Amino acid sequence: MNKPTCNRCNSPLVGRQTKYCSHACANQATAKQLSKKAALRPWNKCSILDCAKPARSRVATLCPMHYHRQYRYGTLDRITDLIRNGDIPRRGTDISGVRYGTLIAEAYRDGTWLCRCDCGNTRLATIGELKRTGEANTCGVRANHLSEDIDYSAAHGRVHRAKGQAQRHRCVDCGDQAKHWSYDHSDPNEYVSRSPRTIGIAFSLDANHYEPRCVPCHKTFDLGRLNGTHLTRSM
């Protein structure tokens, strides 16, 4: 004769147990039955006109958005309109006048802050973006915010980004294919490298002071200018 088993987990029943082996199985089975019944009930839509979102539950009449508007502000009107009209204060921290990098927050506009850069440009940014990048914030125009705290290699990398590869040009001295960008030694704000591999070599932060030259002409030009190089600034 087969022993009776639990209706949920098929464990053997003992003593006076008739359907379930434990209270846990009985509770879970009841919850499953209730969820099946609830699933058969239709899910209401938000009762607000022109809102097609589902209600926050099967017995609720408002969607989550309208429910929280009603709960927090006591009205179902758009919050941005209420803020703009001055009916309710804007939520969040007022950062007007606060500096983030080269940006200064000026005015709040629909979730973003209008910021003015030291270079004169403006930019819209959220408060999260401003706080996340902090001192690195700029208007986004790279050419307006080039750092002067760089050395020889970084300066030549800047020239490559601004003027492309030197191999695409002809040497300004002999007309052969160029190989390097050569500093013309005419920048009044000239720098001299302090990096171990390039120590003592003059360079400029202005890409306009570089010319395309082949390797022999580059060496000849630099050696010829070596004695006449005037260093007005070093780093």
Side-chain angles (χ1 to χ4, degrees), residues 3-7 9-15 17 19-22:
K3 292 184 178 181
T5 58
C6 177
N7 290 352
C9 67
N10 293 325
S11 298
L13 299 179
V14 295
Q17 295 174 344
K19 292 184 178 181
Y20 305 104
C21 64
S22 65

Side-chain angles (χ1 to χ4, degrees), residues 4 25 29 43 46 51 65 72 78 102-103 138 141-142 154 156 158 166-167 178 186 217-218 220:
C25 281
W43 196 285
C46 184
C51 181
M65 179 184 70
R72 173 167 287 189
R78 291 179 70 247
T102 64
L103 300 178
T138 67
V141 182
R142 185 186 180 92
H156 276 264
R158 185 177 294 178
Q167 292 89 329
S186 63
C217 291
H218 191 180
T220 301

Side-chain angles (χ1 to χ4, degrees), residues 6 13 23 30 50 52 71 91 102 133 153 166-167 187:
C6 177
L13 299 179
H23 288 294
T30 303
D50 297 331
Y71 175 79
R91 289 180 295 164
T102 64
T133 48
S153 297
Q167 292 89 329
D187 187 356

Side-chain angles (χ1 to χ4, degrees), residues 155-208:
H156 276 264
R158 185 177 294 178
V159 176
H160 279 280
R161 289 190 295 271
K163 307 181 74 168
Q165 295 181 352
Q167 292 89 329
R168 297 180 180 179
H169 302 269
R170 293 289 180 179
C171 176
V172 295
D173 294 334
C174 68
D176 291 340
Q177 183 181 15
K179 183 65 175 179
H180 302 149
W181 286 109
S182 171
Y183 171 46
D184 63 7
H185 296 272
S186 63
D187 187 356
N189 296 319
E190 188 173 86
Y191 286 74
V192 61
S193 176
R194 289 188 175 180
S195 297
R197 295 182 60 183
T198 57
I199 189 168
I201 300 179
F203 67 96
S204 171
L205 299 183
D206 188 352
N208 295 322

Side-chain angles (χ1 to χ4, degrees), residues 10-220:
N10 293 325
S11 298
L13 299 179
V14 295
R16 297 182 180 181
Q17 295 174 344
T18 57
K19 292 184 178 181
Y20 305 104
C21 64
S22 65
H23 288 294
C25 281
N27 292 338
Q28 292 183 20
T30 303
K32 186 175 182 180
Q33 292 174 1
L34 293 176
S35 64
K36 287 182 177 180
K37 291 181 180 180
L40 297 176
R41 283 182 284 175
W43 196 285
N44 296 330
K45 288 187 177 181
C46 184
S47 60
I48 303 302
L49 186 64
D50 297 331
C51 181
K53 297 179 180 179
R56 53 191 296 267
S57 69
R58 282 188 168 85
V59 296
T61 58
L62 296 176
C63 65
M65 179 184 70
H66 286 108
Y67 169 80
H68 286 290
R69 284 183 185 175
Q70 182 71 38
Y71 175 79
R72 173 167 287 189
Y73 300 108
T75 178
L76 296 174
D77 296 335
R78 291 179 70 247
I79 305 306
T80 52
D81 294 337
L82 296 174
I83 294 174
R84 190 179 296 110
N85 297 333
D87 296 330
I88 60 174
R90 182 187 62 79
R91 289 180 295 164
T93 305
D94 186 1
I95 60 170
S96 55
V98 179
R99 173 178 289 275
Y100 296 90
T102 64
L103 300 178
I104 298 178
E106 290 189 344
Y108 182 80
R109 292 186 178 179
D110 295 335
T112 60
W113 280 88
L114 175 66
C115 303
R116 187 166 300 277
C117 185
D118 290 344
C119 68
N121 291 334
T122 58
R123 171 193 168 191
L124 289 174
T126 64
I127 188 171
E129 293 171 340
L130 294 173
K131 290 184 176 181
R132 183 165 55 249
T133 48
E135 293 299 322
N137 270 296
T138 67
C139 62
V141 182
R142 185 186 180 92
N144 293 348
H145 303 282
L146 296 177
S147 172
E148 294 186 0
D149 188 20
I150 63 174
D151 208 351
Y152 180 87
S153 297
H156 276 264
R158 185 177 294 178
V159 176
H160 279 280
R161 289 190 295 271
K163 307 181 74 168
Q165 295 181 352
Q167 292 89 329
R168 297 180 180 179
H169 302 269
R170 293 289 180 179
C171 176
V172 295
D173 294 334
C174 68
D176 291 340
Q177 183 181 15
K179 183 65 175 179
H180 302 149
W181 286 109
S182 171
Y183 171 46
D184 63 7
H185 296 272
S186 63
D187 187 356
N189 296 319
E190 188 173 86
Y191 286 74
V192 61
S193 176
R194 289 188 175 180
S195 297
R197 295 182 60 183
T198 57
I199 189 168
I201 300 179
F203 67 96
S204 171
L205 299 183
D206 188 352
N208 295 322
H209 285 286
Y210 288 82
E211 300 171 323
R213 284 188 169 87
C214 63
V215 174
C217 291
H218 191 180
K219 291 181 178 180
T220 301

